[in-house]
């Protein structure tokens, strides 16, 4: 059974930094696109950043230059380094694993970790 376990959320002041981690199990991690999404109260879930199995990276415009996504295939872990945090970054952050096998698309989600940016 695929499991994604996030950690690293918390309360931080504006301008501060946090590093989120997502450890995966029971998937061929190196062949899986890994992403971070977030959902603020009353809003839809949105893509924050994705790092594909081949290494290509995409960021939401709102986080470009502030957030960095990376992956360690040996540890089956994806990271999101968040710098210069703003109150509007406050949300529950979810880890996503996206893979295609035998023409079937599989999406797996973590349980989410709360990030609150406030003074």
């Amino acid at each position: 059974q695929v499991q994604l376990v996030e950690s690293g959320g918390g309360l931080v002041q504006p301008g501060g930094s946090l590093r989120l981690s997502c450890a995966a199990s029971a998937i061929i991690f190196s062949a899986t696109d890994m992403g971070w999404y977030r959902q603020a109260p009353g809003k839809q879930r949105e893509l924050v950043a994705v790092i594909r199995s081949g290494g290509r990276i995409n960021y939401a415009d709102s986080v470009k230059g502030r957030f960095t996504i990376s992956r360690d295939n040996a540890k089956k872990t994806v990271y999101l380094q968040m710098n210069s945090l703003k109150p509007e970054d406050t949300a529950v952050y979810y880890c996503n694993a996206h893979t295609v096998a035998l023409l079937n698309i599989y999406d797996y989600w973590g349980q989410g970790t709360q990030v609150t940016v406030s003074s």
Side-chain angles (χ1 to χ4, degrees):
Q1 183 178 353
V2 175
Q3 279 194 317
L4 301 175
V5 180
E6 300 117 332
S7 60
L11 173 64
V12 63
Q13 292 187 344
S17 298
L18 282 174
R19 188 194 196 205
L20 305 183
S21 300
C22 171
S25 61
I27 59 172
I28 304 175
F29 188 81
S30 61
T32 302
D33 296 343
M34 298 299 298
W36 288 96
Y37 289 71
R38 67 186 181 187
Q39 187 167 18
K43 294 188 177 181
Q44 289 189 330
R45 190 174 297 189
E46 63 175 1
L47 175 68
V48 175
V50 60
I51 181 166
R52 308 196 187 279
S53 58
R56 185 161 57 93
I57 291 173
N58 292 99
Y59 294 101
D61 287 343
S62 58
V63 306
K64 282 181 181 177
R66 300 188 298 122
F67 290 11
T68 302
I69 189 171
S70 61
R71 63 191 295 161
D72 185 330
N73 287 343
K75 295 182 178 179
K76 292 189 175 182
T77 300
V78 62
Y79 305 97
L80 185 68
Q81 178 66 44
M82 305 185 294
N83 298 329
S84 302
L85 282 160
K86 305 175 181 180
E88 51 263 43
D89 294 318
T90 296
V92 178
Y93 284 70
Y94 296 92
C95 178
N96 169 263
H98 176 87
T99 189
V100 178
L102 299 175
L103 301 181
N104 292 315
I105 296 173
Y106 298 92
D107 274 292
Y108 303 98
W109 296 91
Q111 80 285 358
T113 185
Q114 177 70 46
V115 172
T116 302
V117 184
S118 175
S119 55

